[in-house]
């Protein structure tokens, strides 16, 4: 049974979709703004308060590390406090995103991550950074090793499982749908290990969406996801249903990347033709739209999100 939607949380205007990766984390938003002005002490306080909540720590450092000026201020912090694992972690995160943008050698970013791993051996976060880096610049073996290191420290790490799903989905090009692809086996295994109340229960749906992206990018499926048989196959129906059932059963314990799962669910429900459930999800998403998966395979995510949301909610065209 679809839960009743809460009141609308978005404005129907030109700026109602912002794709802010902070996902409403007000402390993170404030620290990010302070960091752009060189006030790294705010970041130090934020990470100290985060402690060993590994999902939150990873999420916050990824968002902070993506900032264009983060590398310079992280280096200033690291020089001021050379023994700080938090300063080293921010520097490593910033280096990874610089390497992905072609502004730094991947080898240098990798060494910074390994330095953090030595400073904080129980922390999965430097290995998360290495997985981010390996997905863009590394080998299959490097991806698997980084994921295993994360999972060995935090078995239910949300971001790491999503990244590994993306890595696997991009392997093994085919001429069409491939229901026995390894990404599905991985997602079903991880979801089963995590249990039905875990956010990883939605991972088979994430695998379905990520594999669509890979197939569409290779030309094996159309680049327009609308009305494709792909979304109504037995696997798709089972994956979408399992993800939605998880949401209905979710114990409402917050976690930092909830909007990522909700957007995947809305995407799957919408393209499978269940606009009633999609409407409930769009209501829950409110302003917390995410670029992924609405950008898949190579689309304007704002236009795609607005079009799907407005259709599901009966608002007409965007």
């Amino acid at each position: 049974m679809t839960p009743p939607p809460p009141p609308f949380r978005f404005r129907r205007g030109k700026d109602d979709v912002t794709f802010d990766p902070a996902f409403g984390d007000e402390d993170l938003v404030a620290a990010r703004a302070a960091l752009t002005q060189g006030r790294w002490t705010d970041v130090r306080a934020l990470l100290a308060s985060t402690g060993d909540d590994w999902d939150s720590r990873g999420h916050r450092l990824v968002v902070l590390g993506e900032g264009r000026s983060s590398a310079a201020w992280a280096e200033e912090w690291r020089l001021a406090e050379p023994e700080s694992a938090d300063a080293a972690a921010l520097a490593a995160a910033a280096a990874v995103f610089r390497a992905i943008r072609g502004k730094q050698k991947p080898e240098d970013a990798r060494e910074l991550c390994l330095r953090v791993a030595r400073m904080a051996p129980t922390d999965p976060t430097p290995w998360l950074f290495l997985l981010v880096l390996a997905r863009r610049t590394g080998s299959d073996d490097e991806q698997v090793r980084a994921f295993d290191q994360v999972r060995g420290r935090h078995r239910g790490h949300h971001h790491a499982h999503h990244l590994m799903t993306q890595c696997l989905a991009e392997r093994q090009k085919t001429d069409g749908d491939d229901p026995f692809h390894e990404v599905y086996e991985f997602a079903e295994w991880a979801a089963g290990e995590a249990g039905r109340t875990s956010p990883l229960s939605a991972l088979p749906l994430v695998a379905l969406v990520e594999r669509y992206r890979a197939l569409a990018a290779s030309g094996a499926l159309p680049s327009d996801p609308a009305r494709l048989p792909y979304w109504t196959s037995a696997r798709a129906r089972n994956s979408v249903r399992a993800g939605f059932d998880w949401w209905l059963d979710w114990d409402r314990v917050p976690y930092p990347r909830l909007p990522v799962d909700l957007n995947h669910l809305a995407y799957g429900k919408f393209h499978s033709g269940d606009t009633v459930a999609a409407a409930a999800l769009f209501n829950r998403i409110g302003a917390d739209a995410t670029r992924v998966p609405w950008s898949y395979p190579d689309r304007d995510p704002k236009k795609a999100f607005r079009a799907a949301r407005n259709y599901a909610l009966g608002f007409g065209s965007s």
Side-chain angles (χ1 to χ4, degrees):
M1 177 179 178
T2 303
F8 291 161
R9 294 172 53 226
F10 60 85
R11 303 183 313 277
R12 292 190 63 214
K14 293 297 184 183
D15 299 319
D16 65 339
V17 181
T18 60
F19 296 129
D20 185 357
F23 301 146
D25 183 337
E26 294 180 359
D27 292 337
L28 173 58
V29 171
R32 180 178 60 185
L35 185 62
T36 63
Q37 300 173 12
R39 300 201 308 271
W40 49 261
T41 53
D42 292 49
V43 176
R44 179 176 61 188
L46 176 73
L47 295 178
S49 68
T50 306
D52 60 0
D53 180 344
W54 301 130
D55 281 305
S56 291
R57 179 176 172 82
H59 171 65
R60 286 172 162 177
L61 277 164
V62 163
V63 172
L64 292 167
E66 287 179 316
R68 298 284 176 167
S69 61
S70 295
W73 298 122
E75 182 62 15
E76 180 176 300
W77 180 13
R78 196 175 66 82
L79 290 173
E81 299 180 357
E83 302 303 316
S84 170
D86 287 346
L90 180 60
V96 163
F97 288 105
R98 281 177 53 81
I100 289 172
R101 293 193 291 262
K103 302 295 185 180
Q104 186 167 337
K105 292 181 180 179
E107 295 78 10
D108 293 341
R110 189 174 297 111
E111 180 52 43
L112 286 174
C113 293
L114 292 173
R115 179 189 302 171
V116 182
R118 291 190 291 270
M119 294 176 74
T122 64
D123 185 357
T125 311
W127 298 100
L128 175 70
F129 301 156
L130 285 167
L131 181 54
V132 172
L133 185 65
R135 186 193 164 213
R136 298 296 188 185
T137 68
S139 65
D140 292 355
D141 286 345
E142 287 172 329
Q143 294 167 2
V144 171
R145 179 170 183 264
F147 174 73
D148 286 346
Q149 291 291 336
V150 174
R151 197 169 189 274
R153 291 162 173 80
H154 179 40
R155 292 179 68 82
H157 201 293
H158 188 270
H159 195 174
H161 280 84
H162 276 239
L163 284 168
M164 196 63 213
T165 300
Q166 291 176 320
C167 292
L168 293 173
E170 293 161 0
R171 299 181 188 176
Q172 185 188 336
K173 307 300 182 185
T174 67
D175 294 327
D177 192 12
D178 41 7
F180 302 107
H181 191 274
E182 63 182 313
V183 72
Y184 301 127
E185 181 180 2
F186 167 79
E188 289 165 4
W189 164 77
E193 286 273 307
R196 63 179 298 174
T197 61
S198 167
L200 296 184
S201 294
L203 208 59
L205 171 60
V206 175
L208 184 81
V209 174
E210 292 295 341
R211 189 56 182 161
Y212 163 70
R213 172 184 58 83
L215 290 169
S218 70
L221 285 178
S223 59
D224 186 349
R227 294 180 293 279
L228 289 183
Y230 181 86
W231 303 111
T232 56
S233 68
R235 176 178 292 281
R237 288 196 304 271
N238 290 337
S239 298
V240 173
R241 185 188 308 115
F244 197 67
D245 287 347
W246 161 76
W247 183 47
L248 295 179
D249 292 340
W250 177 46
D251 57 13
R252 300 302 188 261
V253 175
Y255 60 99
R257 285 169 46 86
L258 171 63
V260 175
D261 287 326
L262 293 179
N263 278 265
H264 276 85
L265 280 172
Y267 188 91
K269 278 293 187 182
F270 180 78
H271 288 301
S272 68
D274 189 350
T275 55
V276 174
L281 286 157
F282 281 121
N283 264 314
R284 178 60 181 81
I285 288 166
D288 291 331
T290 57
R291 291 184 183 277
V292 170
W294 302 104
S295 61
Y296 288 170
D298 187 19
R299 301 165 66 82
D300 182 319
K302 283 191 178 182
K303 289 182 178 178
F305 177 83
R306 284 191 180 122
R309 181 195 66 190
N310 292 352
Y311 184 89
L313 294 174
F315 291 159
S317 60
S318 58

